[in-house]
Coordinates of all heavy atoms in Angstrom, one line a residue:
Y1 N 0.8 -1.2 0.0 CA 0.0 0.0 0.0 C 0.9 1.2 0.0 O 1.8 1.4 0.8 CB -0.9 -0.1 1.2 CG -1.7 1.2 1.4 CD1 -2.8 1.5 0.6 CD2 -1.5 2.0 2.5 CE1 -3.5 2.6 0.8 CE2 -2.2 3.1 2.7 CZ -3.3 3.4 1.9 OH -4.0 4.5 2.1
V2 N 0.6 2.1 -0.9 CA 1.4 3.4 -1.0 C 0.5 4.6 -0.9 O -0.6 4.6 -1.6 CB 2.1 3.5 -2.4 CG1 2.8 4.8 -2.6 CG2 3.1 2.3 -2.5
D3 N 0.8 5.5 0.0 CA 0.0 6.7 0.2 C 0.6 7.8 -0.7 O 1.6 8.4 -0.4 CB 0.0 7.1 1.7 CG -1.0 8.2 1.9 OD1 -1.5 8.8 1.0 OD2 -1.2 8.5 3.1
L4 N -0.1 8.1 -1.8 CA 0.4 9.1 -2.7 C 0.5 10.5 -2.1 O 1.3 11.3 -2.5 CB -0.4 9.1 -4.0 CG -0.3 7.8 -4.9 CD1 -1.1 7.9 -6.1 CD2 1.2 7.5 -5.3
S5 N -0.4 10.7 -1.2 CA -0.4 12.1 -0.6 C 0.9 12.3 0.2 O 1.4 13.4 0.4 CB -1.6 12.3 0.3 OG -1.6 11.4 1.4
I6 N 1.5 11.2 0.6 CA 2.8 11.3 1.3 C 4.0 11.2 0.3 O 4.9 12.0 0.3 CB 3.0 10.2 2.4 CG1 1.9 10.5 3.5 CG2 4.4 10.2 3.0 CD1 1.8 9.3 4.5
E7 N 3.9 10.2 -0.6 CA 5.0 10.0 -1.6 C 5.2 11.2 -2.5 O 6.3 11.4 -3.0 CB 4.7 8.7 -2.4 CG 4.7 7.5 -1.5 CD 6.1 7.2 -0.9 OE1 7.1 7.4 -1.6 OE2 6.1 6.7 0.2
W8 N 4.1 11.9 -2.8 CA 4.1 13.0 -3.8 C 4.4 14.3 -3.1 O 4.2 15.4 -3.7 CB 2.9 13.0 -4.6 CG 2.8 12.0 -5.7 CD1 3.7 11.0 -5.9 CD2 1.8 11.8 -6.6 NE1 3.3 10.2 -6.9 CE2 2.1 10.7 -7.4 CE3 0.7 12.5 -6.9 CZ2 1.4 10.2 -8.5 CZ3 -0.1 12.1 -8.0 CH2 0.2 11.0 -8.7
D9 N 4.7 14.3 -1.8 CA 4.9 15.5 -1.0 C 5.9 16.5 -1.7 O 5.8 17.7 -1.6 CB 5.4 15.2 0.4 CG 4.6 16.0 1.4 OD1 3.7 16.7 1.1 OD2 4.9 15.8 2.6
V10 N 6.9 15.9 -2.3 CA 8.0 16.8 -2.9 C 7.5 17.4 -4.3 O 8.1 18.3 -4.8 CB 9.3 16.0 -3.1 CG1 9.9 15.6 -1.8 CG2 9.1 14.8 -4.0
Y11 N 6.5 16.8 -4.9 CA 6.0 17.3 -6.2 C 4.7 18.1 -5.9 O 3.6 17.6 -5.8 CB 5.6 16.1 -7.1 CG 6.7 15.1 -7.2 CD1 6.7 13.8 -6.6 CD2 7.9 15.4 -8.0 CE1 7.7 12.9 -6.7 CE2 8.9 14.5 -8.1 CZ 8.8 13.3 -7.5 OH 9.9 12.4 -7.6
K12 N 4.9 19.4 -5.8 CA 3.8 20.3 -5.3 C 2.6 20.3 -6.2 O 1.5 20.2 -5.8 CB 4.4 21.7 -5.1 CG 5.5 21.8 -4.1 CD 5.0 21.4 -2.8 CE 6.1 21.5 -1.7 NZ 5.9 20.7 -0.5
A13 N 2.8 20.3 -7.6 CA 1.7 20.4 -8.5 C 1.0 19.1 -8.5 O -0.3 19.0 -8.5 CB 2.2 20.7 -9.9
A14 N 1.7 17.9 -8.4 CA 1.0 16.6 -8.4 C 0.2 16.5 -7.1 O -0.9 16.0 -7.1 CB 2.1 15.5 -8.5
K15 N 0.8 16.9 -6.0 CA 0.1 16.8 -4.7 C -1.1 17.7 -4.7 O -2.2 17.2 -4.2 CB 1.0 17.2 -3.5 CG 0.3 17.1 -2.2 CD 1.3 17.0 -1.0 CE 0.4 16.9 0.2 NZ 0.9 16.0 1.2
S16 N -1.0 18.9 -5.2 CA -2.2 19.7 -5.3 C -3.3 19.1 -6.1 O -4.5 19.2 -5.8 CB -1.8 21.1 -5.9 OG -2.9 21.9 -6.1
A17 N -3.0 18.5 -7.3 CA -3.9 17.9 -8.1 C -4.6 16.7 -7.4 O -5.8 16.4 -7.5 CB -3.3 17.4 -9.4
L18 N -3.8 15.9 -6.7 CA -4.3 14.8 -5.9 C -5.2 15.2 -4.8 O -6.3 14.6 -4.7 CB -3.1 14.0 -5.3 CG -3.5 12.8 -4.5 CD1 -4.1 11.7 -5.4 CD2 -2.2 12.2 -3.8
L19 N -4.9 16.3 -4.1 CA -5.8 16.8 -3.1 C -7.1 17.3 -3.6 O -8.1 17.1 -3.0 CB -5.1 17.9 -2.2 CG -3.9 17.4 -1.4 CD1 -3.2 18.6 -0.7 CD2 -4.3 16.4 -0.4
N20 N -7.1 17.9 -4.8 CA -8.3 18.3 -5.4 C -9.2 17.1 -5.8 O -10.4 17.1 -5.8 CB -8.0 19.1 -6.7 CG -7.5 20.5 -6.3 OD1 -7.8 21.0 -5.3 ND2 -6.8 21.1 -7.3
T21 N -8.5 16.0 -6.2 CA -9.2 14.8 -6.6 C -9.8 14.1 -5.5 O -11.0 13.5 -5.6 CB -8.3 13.9 -7.4 OG1 -7.7 14.6 -8.5 CG2 -9.0 12.7 -7.9
V22 N -9.2 14.0 -4.3 CA -9.7 13.2 -3.2 C -10.5 14.0 -2.2 O -10.9 13.5 -1.2 CB -8.5 12.5 -2.4 CG1 -7.8 11.5 -3.3 CG2 -7.5 13.5 -1.9
N23 N -10.9 15.2 -2.6 CA -11.8 16.0 -1.9 C -13.1 15.3 -1.8 O -13.7 14.8 -2.8 CB -11.9 17.4 -2.6 CG -13.0 18.3 -2.0 OD1 -13.9 17.8 -1.3 ND2 -12.9 19.5 -2.3
P24 N -13.7 15.1 -0.6 CA -14.9 14.3 -0.4 C -16.1 14.8 -1.3 O -16.8 14.0 -1.9 CB -15.3 14.5 1.0 CG -14.0 14.7 1.7 CD -13.2 15.5 0.7
A25 N -16.2 16.1 -1.5 CA -17.3 16.6 -2.4 C -17.1 16.2 -3.8 O -18.0 15.8 -4.6 CB -17.4 18.1 -2.3
N26 N -15.8 16.2 -4.3 CA -15.4 15.8 -5.6 C -15.6 14.3 -5.8 O -16.1 13.9 -6.9 CB -14.0 16.2 -5.9 CG -13.6 16.2 -7.4 OD1 -14.5 16.2 -8.2 ND2 -12.4 16.2 -7.7
V27 N -15.3 13.5 -4.8 CA -15.5 12.1 -4.9 C -16.9 11.7 -5.0 O -17.3 10.9 -5.9 CB -14.8 11.4 -3.7 CG1 -15.2 9.9 -3.6 CG2 -13.3 11.6 -3.6
K28 N -17.8 12.4 -4.3 CA -19.2 12.2 -4.4 C -19.8 12.5 -5.8 O -20.6 11.8 -6.3 CB -20.0 13.0 -3.3 CG -19.9 12.4 -1.9 CD -20.8 13.1 -1.0 CE -20.8 12.5 0.4 NZ -21.7 13.2 1.3
A29 N -19.3 13.7 -6.3 CA -19.7 14.1 -7.6 C -19.3 13.1 -8.7 O -20.1 12.8 -9.6 CB -19.2 15.5 -7.9
L30 N -18.0 12.7 -8.6 CA -17.5 11.7 -9.6 C -18.3 10.4 -9.5 O -18.7 9.7 -10.5 CB -16.0 11.4 -9.4 CG -15.1 12.5 -9.8 CD1 -13.7 12.2 -9.3 CD2 -15.1 12.6 -11.3
S31 N -18.6 9.9 -8.3 CA -19.4 8.7 -8.1 C -20.8 8.8 -8.6 O -21.3 7.9 -9.3 CB -19.4 8.3 -6.6 OG -18.2 8.1 -6.1
A32 N -21.4 10.0 -8.4 CA -22.8 10.2 -8.9 C -22.8 10.2 -10.4 O -23.6 9.6 -11.1 CB -23.3 11.5 -8.3
R33 N -21.8 10.9 -11.0 CA -21.7 11.0 -12.5 C -21.5 9.6 -13.1 O -22.1 9.3 -14.1 CB -20.6 11.9 -12.9 CG -20.6 12.1 -14.4 CD -19.6 13.2 -14.8 NE -18.2 12.8 -14.5 CZ -17.2 13.6 -14.4 NH1 -17.3 14.9 -14.6 NH2 -16.0 13.1 -14.2
N34 N -20.6 8.8 -12.5 CA -20.4 7.4 -13.0 C -21.6 6.5 -12.8 O -21.9 5.7 -13.7 CB -19.2 6.8 -12.4 CG -17.9 7.2 -13.2 OD1 -17.7 6.8 -14.3 ND2 -17.2 8.2 -12.6
L35 N -22.4 6.7 -11.7 CA -23.6 6.0 -11.5 C -24.6 6.4 -12.6 O -25.3 5.5 -13.2 CB -24.2 6.2 -10.1 CG -25.4 5.3 -9.8 CD1 -25.0 3.8 -9.9 CD2 -25.9 5.7 -8.4
D36 N -24.7 7.6 -12.9 CA -25.6 8.1 -14.0 C -25.2 7.5 -15.3 O -26.0 7.1 -16.1 CB -25.6 9.6 -14.1 CG -26.3 10.3 -12.9 OD1 -27.1 9.6 -12.2 OD2 -26.1 11.5 -12.7
N37 N -23.9 7.5 -15.6 CA -23.4 6.9 -16.8 C -23.7 5.4 -16.9 O -24.0 4.9 -18.0 CB -21.8 7.1 -16.9 CG -21.4 8.5 -17.3 OD1 -22.2 9.3 -17.8 ND2 -20.2 8.8 -17.1
L38 N -23.6 4.7 -15.8 CA -23.9 3.3 -15.7 C -25.4 3.1 -16.2 O -25.7 2.2 -17.0 CB -23.7 2.7 -14.3 CG -24.1 1.3 -14.2 CD1 -23.1 0.4 -15.0 CD2 -24.0 0.9 -12.7
Y39 N -26.3 3.9 -15.6 CA -27.7 3.7 -16.0 C -28.0 4.1 -17.4 O -28.7 3.4 -18.1 CB -28.6 4.6 -15.0 CG -28.6 4.1 -13.6 CD1 -28.6 5.0 -12.6 CD2 -28.7 2.8 -13.3 CE1 -28.6 4.6 -11.2 CE2 -28.8 2.3 -12.0 CZ -28.7 3.3 -11.0 OH -28.7 2.9 -9.7
K40 N -27.3 5.1 -17.9 CA -27.5 5.5 -19.3 C -27.0 4.4 -20.2 O -27.6 4.0 -21.2 CB -26.8 6.8 -19.6 CG -27.0 7.3 -21.0 CD -26.2 8.5 -21.3 CE -26.3 9.0 -22.7 NZ -26.2 8.0 -23.8
C41 N -25.8 3.9 -19.9 CA -25.2 2.8 -20.8 C -26.1 1.6 -20.7 O -26.3 0.9 -21.8 CB -23.8 2.5 -20.3 SG -22.6 3.8 -20.6
Q42 N -26.6 1.2 -19.6 CA -27.4 0.1 -19.5 C -28.7 0.2 -20.3 O -29.1 -0.7 -21.0 CB -27.8 -0.2 -18.0 CG -28.5 -1.5 -17.8 CD -28.8 -1.8 -16.3 OE1 -28.5 -0.9 -15.4 NE2 -29.2 -2.9 -16.0
K43 N -29.3 1.4 -20.2 CA -30.5 1.7 -21.0 C -30.2 1.6 -22.5 O -30.9 1.0 -23.3 CB -31.0 3.1 -20.7 CG -32.2 3.5 -21.5 CD -32.6 5.0 -21.1 CE -33.6 5.5 -22.1 NZ -33.7 6.9 -22.1
D44 N -29.0 2.2 -23.0 CA -28.7 2.1 -24.4 C -28.4 0.7 -24.8 O -28.9 0.3 -25.9 CB -27.4 3.0 -24.6 CG -27.7 4.5 -24.5 OD1 -28.9 4.9 -24.5 OD2 -26.7 5.2 -24.4
I45 N -27.7 0.0 -24.0 CA -27.4 -1.4 -24.4 C -28.6 -2.3 -24.4 O -28.8 -3.1 -25.3 CB -26.3 -2.0 -23.4 CG1 -25.0 -1.3 -23.6 CG2 -26.2 -3.5 -23.6 CD1 -23.9 -1.6 -22.6
D46 N -29.5 -2.1 -23.5 CA -30.8 -2.8 -23.5 C -31.6 -2.5 -24.8 O -32.2 -3.4 -25.4 CB -31.7 -2.4 -22.3 CG -31.2 -3.1 -21.0 OD1 -30.4 -4.0 -21.0 OD2 -31.6 -2.6 -19.9
H47 N -31.6 -1.2 -25.2 CA -32.2 -0.9 -26.5 C -31.6 -1.6 -27.6 O -32.3 -2.2 -28.5 CB -32.2 0.6 -26.7 CG -32.6 1.0 -28.1 ND1 -33.9 0.9 -28.5 CD2 -31.8 1.5 -29.1 CE1 -33.9 1.3 -29.8 NE2 -32.7 1.7 -30.2
Y48 N -30.3 -1.6 -27.7 CA -29.6 -2.2 -28.8 C -29.8 -3.7 -28.8 O -29.8 -4.3 -29.9 CB -28.1 -1.9 -28.8 CG -27.8 -0.4 -29.1 CD1 -26.8 0.2 -28.3 CD2 -28.4 0.3 -30.0 CE1 -26.5 1.5 -28.5 CE2 -28.2 1.6 -30.2 CZ -27.2 2.2 -29.5 OH -26.9 3.6 -29.7
L49 N -29.9 -4.3 -27.7 CA -30.0 -5.8 -27.6 C -31.5 -6.3 -27.7 O -31.7 -7.5 -27.6 CB -29.4 -6.3 -26.3 CG -27.9 -6.1 -26.2 CD1 -27.3 -6.6 -24.9 CD2 -27.2 -6.8 -27.4
T50 N -32.4 -5.4 -27.9 CA -33.8 -5.8 -28.2 C -33.8 -6.5 -29.5 O -33.2 -6.2 -30.5 CB -34.7 -4.5 -28.3 OG1 -34.6 -3.8 -27.0 CG2 -36.1 -4.9 -28.5
E51 N -34.6 -7.6 -29.5 CA -34.7 -8.4 -30.7 C -35.0 -7.6 -31.9 O -36.0 -6.8 -31.9 CB -35.8 -9.5 -30.5 CG -35.9 -10.5 -31.6 CD -34.7 -11.5 -31.6 OE1 -34.1 -11.8 -30.6 OE2 -34.4 -11.9 -32.8
G52 N -34.2 -7.7 -32.9 CA -34.5 -7.1 -34.2 C -33.9 -5.7 -34.4 O -34.0 -5.1 -35.5
V53 N -33.3 -5.2 -33.4 CA -32.7 -3.8 -33.5 C -31.3 -3.9 -34.2 O -31.1 -3.1 -35.1 CB -32.5 -3.1 -32.1 CG1 -31.8 -1.8 -32.2 CG2 -33.9 -2.9 -31.5
L54 N -30.5 -4.8 -33.8 CA -29.1 -4.8 -34.4 C -29.1 -5.5 -35.8 O -28.5 -6.6 -35.9 CB -28.2 -5.5 -33.4 CG -27.7 -4.7 -32.3 CD1 -26.8 -5.5 -31.4 CD2 -27.0 -3.4 -32.7
T55 N -29.7 -4.9 -36.7 CA -29.6 -5.5 -38.1 C -28.4 -4.9 -38.8 O -27.7 -4.0 -38.3 CB -30.9 -5.0 -38.9 OG1 -30.9 -3.6 -39.0 CG2 -32.2 -5.5 -38.3
D56 N -28.0 -5.5 -39.9 CA -26.8 -5.1 -40.6 C -26.9 -3.6 -41.0 O -26.0 -2.8 -40.8 CB -26.6 -5.9 -41.9 CG -26.2 -7.3 -41.6 OD1 -25.8 -7.6 -40.5 OD2 -26.4 -8.2 -42.5
N57 N -28.1 -3.2 -41.5 CA -28.3 -1.8 -41.9 C -28.2 -0.8 -40.7 O -27.6 0.2 -40.8 CB -29.6 -1.6 -42.6 CG -29.6 -2.2 -44.0 OD1 -28.5 -2.3 -44.6 ND2 -30.7 -2.6 -44.5
F58 N -28.8 -1.2 -39.6 CA -28.8 -0.4 -38.4 C -27.4 -0.2 -37.9 O -26.9 0.9 -37.6 CB -29.6 -1.0 -37.3 CG -29.6 -0.2 -36.0 CD1 -30.5 0.9 -35.9 CD2 -28.7 -0.5 -35.0 CE1 -30.5 1.7 -34.7 CE2 -28.7 0.3 -33.8 CZ -29.6 1.4 -33.7
M59 N -26.6 -1.3 -37.9 CA -25.2 -1.2 -37.4 C -24.4 -0.3 -38.3 O -23.6 0.5 -37.9 CB -24.6 -2.6 -37.3 CG -25.2 -3.4 -36.1 SD -24.5 -5.0 -35.9 CE -22.9 -4.6 -35.5
L60 N -24.5 -0.5 -39.6 CA -23.8 0.4 -40.6 C -24.2 1.8 -40.5 O -23.3 2.7 -40.6 CB -24.0 -0.2 -42.0 CG -23.3 -1.5 -42.3 CD1 -23.7 -2.0 -43.7 CD2 -21.8 -1.4 -42.2
D61 N -25.4 2.1 -40.3 CA -25.9 3.5 -40.2 C -25.6 4.2 -38.9 O -25.6 5.4 -38.8 CB -27.4 3.6 -40.4 CG -27.8 3.2 -41.9 OD1 -26.9 3.3 -42.8 OD2 -29.0 2.8 -42.1
N62 N -25.3 3.4 -37.8 CA -25.1 3.9 -36.5 C -23.8 3.6 -35.8 O -23.7 3.5 -34.6 CB -26.3 3.4 -35.6 CG -27.6 4.0 -36.0 OD1 -27.9 5.2 -35.8 ND2 -28.4 3.2 -36.7
I63 N -22.8 3.4 -36.6 CA -21.5 3.0 -36.1 C -21.0 4.0 -35.0 O -20.6 3.6 -34.0 CB -20.4 2.8 -37.2 CG1 -20.8 1.5 -38.0 CG2 -19.0 2.8 -36.7 CD1 -19.9 1.3 -39.2
P64 N -21.1 5.3 -35.3 CA -20.6 6.2 -34.2 C -21.3 6.1 -32.9 O -20.7 6.1 -31.9 CB -20.8 7.6 -34.9 CG -20.8 7.4 -36.3 CD -21.4 6.0 -36.5
R65 N -22.7 6.0 -33.0 CA -23.5 5.9 -31.8 C -23.1 4.6 -31.0 O -23.0 4.6 -29.8 CB -24.9 5.9 -32.1 CG -25.5 7.3 -32.3 CD -27.0 7.3 -32.7 NE -27.8 6.4 -31.8 CZ -29.0 6.0 -32.1 NH1 -29.5 6.3 -33.3 NH2 -29.6 5.2 -31.3
L66 N -23.0 3.5 -31.8 CA -22.6 2.2 -31.1 C -21.3 2.2 -30.5 O -21.1 1.8 -29.4 CB -22.7 1.1 -32.2 CG -24.1 0.7 -32.7 CD1 -24.0 -0.2 -33.9 CD2 -24.9 0.1 -31.6
L67 N -20.3 2.8 -31.2 CA -18.9 2.9 -30.6 C -18.9 3.8 -29.4 O -18.2 3.5 -28.5 CB -17.9 3.3 -31.7 CG -17.6 2.3 -32.8 CD1 -16.7 2.9 -33.8 CD2 -17.0 1.1 -32.2
N68 N -19.6 4.9 -29.5 CA -19.7 5.8 -28.3 C -20.3 5.1 -27.1 O -19.8 5.2 -26.0 CB -20.4 7.1 -28.6 CG -19.6 8.0 -29.5 OD1 -18.4 8.0 -29.5 ND2 -20.3 8.9 -30.2
T69 N -21.3 4.3 -27.3 CA -21.9 3.5 -26.2 C -20.9 2.5 -25.7 O -20.8 2.4 -24.5 CB -23.2 2.8 -26.7 OG1 -24.1 3.8 -27.1 CG2 -23.8 2.0 -25.6
L70 N -20.2 1.8 -26.6 CA -19.2 0.9 -26.1 C -18.1 1.5 -25.3 O -17.7 1.0 -24.3 CB -18.6 0.1 -27.3 CG -19.5 -0.9 -28.0 CD1 -18.9 -1.4 -29.3 CD2 -19.8 -2.0 -27.0
R71 N -17.6 2.7 -25.8 CA -16.5 3.4 -25.1 C -17.0 3.9 -23.7 O -16.3 3.7 -22.7 CB -16.1 4.6 -25.9 CG -15.2 4.2 -27.1 CD -14.7 5.5 -27.8 NE -14.2 5.2 -29.1 CZ -14.9 5.5 -30.2 NH1 -16.0 6.3 -30.1 NH2 -14.4 5.2 -31.4
S72 N -18.2 4.5 -23.7 CA -18.7 5.0 -22.4 C -18.9 3.8 -21.4 O -18.6 3.9 -20.3 CB -20.0 5.7 -22.7 OG -20.5 6.3 -21.5
S73 N -19.4 2.7 -21.9 CA -19.6 1.5 -21.1 C -18.3 1.0 -20.5 O -18.2 0.7 -19.3 CB -20.4 0.4 -21.8 OG -21.6 0.9 -22.3
N74 N -17.3 1.0 -21.4 CA -16.0 0.5 -21.0 C -15.4 1.4 -19.9 O -14.9 0.9 -18.9 CB -15.1 0.4 -22.2 CG -13.8 -0.2 -21.9 OD1 -13.6 -1.0 -21.0 ND2 -12.8 0.2 -22.7
C75 N -15.5 2.7 -20.1 CA -14.9 3.6 -19.2 C -15.6 3.6 -17.8 O -15.0 3.6 -16.8 CB -15.0 5.1 -19.7 SG -13.8 5.4 -21.0
T76 N -16.9 3.5 -17.9 CA -17.7 3.4 -16.6 C -17.4 2.1 -15.9 O -17.2 2.2 -14.6 CB -19.2 3.5 -17.0 OG1 -19.5 4.7 -17.7 CG2 -20.1 3.4 -15.7
I77 N -17.3 1.0 -16.6 CA -17.0 -0.3 -15.9 C -15.6 -0.2 -15.3 O -15.4 -0.7 -14.2 CB -17.2 -1.5 -16.8 CG1 -18.7 -1.6 -17.1 CG2 -16.7 -2.7 -16.3 CD1 -19.0 -2.6 -18.3
R78 N -14.7 0.3 -16.1 CA -13.3 0.4 -15.6 C -13.2 1.3 -14.3 O -12.6 0.9 -13.3 CB -12.3 0.9 -16.6 CG -11.9 -0.2 -17.6 CD -10.8 0.3 -18.5 NE -11.3 1.3 -19.4 CZ -10.7 2.4 -19.8 NH1 -9.4 2.6 -19.4 NH2 -11.2 3.3 -20.5
W79 N -13.9 2.4 -14.3 CA -13.9 3.3 -13.2 C -14.5 2.6 -12.0 O -13.9 2.7 -10.9 CB -14.7 4.5 -13.5 CG -14.5 5.6 -12.5 CD1 -13.6 6.6 -12.5 CD2 -15.3 5.8 -11.3 NE1 -13.7 7.4 -11.4 CE2 -14.8 6.9 -10.6 CE3 -16.3 5.1 -10.7 CZ2 -15.2 7.4 -9.4 CZ3 -16.8 5.6 -9.5 CH2 -16.3 6.7 -8.8
M80 N -15.6 1.9 -12.2 CA -16.2 1.2 -11.0 C -15.3 0.1 -10.5 O -15.2 -0.1 -9.3 CB -17.6 0.6 -11.4 CG -18.6 1.7 -11.8 SD -20.2 1.1 -12.1 CE -20.9 1.4 -10.5
V81 N -14.7 -0.7 -11.4 CA -13.8 -1.8 -10.9 C -12.6 -1.2 -10.1 O -12.3 -1.7 -9.1 CB -13.3 -2.6 -12.1 CG1 -12.2 -3.5 -11.7 CG2 -14.5 -3.4 -12.7
L82 N -12.1 -0.1 -10.6 CA -10.9 0.5 -9.9 C -11.3 1.2 -8.6 O -10.4 1.4 -7.7 CB -10.2 1.5 -10.8 CG -9.5 0.9 -12.0 CD1 -9.0 2.0 -13.0 CD2 -8.3 0.1 -11.5
H83 N -12.5 1.7 -8.4 CA -12.9 2.5 -7.3 C -13.8 1.8 -6.3 O -14.1 2.4 -5.2 CB -13.5 3.8 -7.7 CG -12.5 4.6 -8.5 ND1 -12.3 4.5 -9.8 CD2 -11.7 5.6 -8.0 CE1 -11.3 5.4 -10.2 NE2 -10.9 6.1 -9.1
L84 N -14.3 0.6 -6.6 CA -15.1 -0.1 -5.6 C -14.2 -0.6 -4.5 O -13.1 -1.1 -4.7 CB -15.9 -1.2 -6.2 CG -17.0 -0.8 -7.1 CD1 -17.7 -2.0 -7.7 CD2 -18.1 0.0 -6.3
T85 N -14.7 -0.6 -3.3 CA -14.0 -1.2 -2.1 C -14.8 -2.3 -1.6 O -16.0 -2.3 -1.5 CB -13.7 -0.2 -1.0 OG1 -14.9 0.4 -0.6 CG2 -12.8 0.9 -1.5
C86 N -14.1 -3.3 -1.1 CA -14.8 -4.5 -0.5 C -14.9 -4.2 1.0 O -14.0 -3.7 1.6 CB -14.0 -5.8 -0.8 SG -13.9 -6.2 -2.5
K87 N -16.0 -4.6 1.5 CA -16.2 -4.5 3.0 C -16.5 -5.8 3.6 O -17.0 -6.7 3.1 CB -17.4 -3.5 3.3 CG -17.1 -2.1 2.8 CD -18.2 -1.2 3.2 CE -17.8 0.2 2.8 NZ -18.6 1.2 3.3

């Protein structure tokens, strides 16, 4: 276990950025935003996985939307995996 707030003491800019990030209000806001992203991604994926939606033409016509949903889902899941704590 490494405490970056101690290890980065000599790097003033890095320590300042870290302190801004671990501010409790900022942590709550980030958590809420990622929870909202999770619900939005789940809604989008449920829509795409409805029987008959993912046809060849739909996929070709909506590549940017599909890729954005995949990217957003990937980022949200990675954030949750990295920030969840076991109790």
Side-chain angles (χ1 to χ4, degrees):
Y1 172 72
V2 175
D3 187 351
L4 292 179
S5 65
I6 294 170
E7 295 296 323
W8 285 4
D9 227 2
V10 296
Y11 308 107
K12 299 301 179 196
K15 180 158 179 145
S16 175
L18 180 65
L19 291 177
N20 288 335
T21 304
V22 295
N23 174 338
N26 196 19
V27 171
K28 282 185 179 182
L30 286 170
S31 296
R33 186 172 65 197
N34 274 286
L35 186 59
D36 290 343
N37 284 344
L38 177 68
Y39 292 137
K40 182 186 178 312
C41 290
Q42 187 174 8
K43 180 182 165 200
D44 290 346
I45 290 170
D46 285 345
H47 167 72
Y48 294 138
L49 294 180
T50 302
E51 185 69 33
V53 171
L54 284 179
T55 62
D56 292 341
N57 287 335
F58 179 85
M59 290 180 66
L60 290 173
D61 292 340
N62 293 285
I63 289 174
R65 281 181 45 201
L66 292 167
L67 288 178
N68 285 337
T69 299
L70 289 172
R71 283 187 201 106
S72 182
S73 300
N74 185 28
C75 289
T76 301
I77 291 169
R78 279 188 294 144
W79 192 92
M80 295 185 97
V81 167
L82 290 172
H83 293 87
L84 287 178
T85 57
C86 298
K87 292 186 180 191

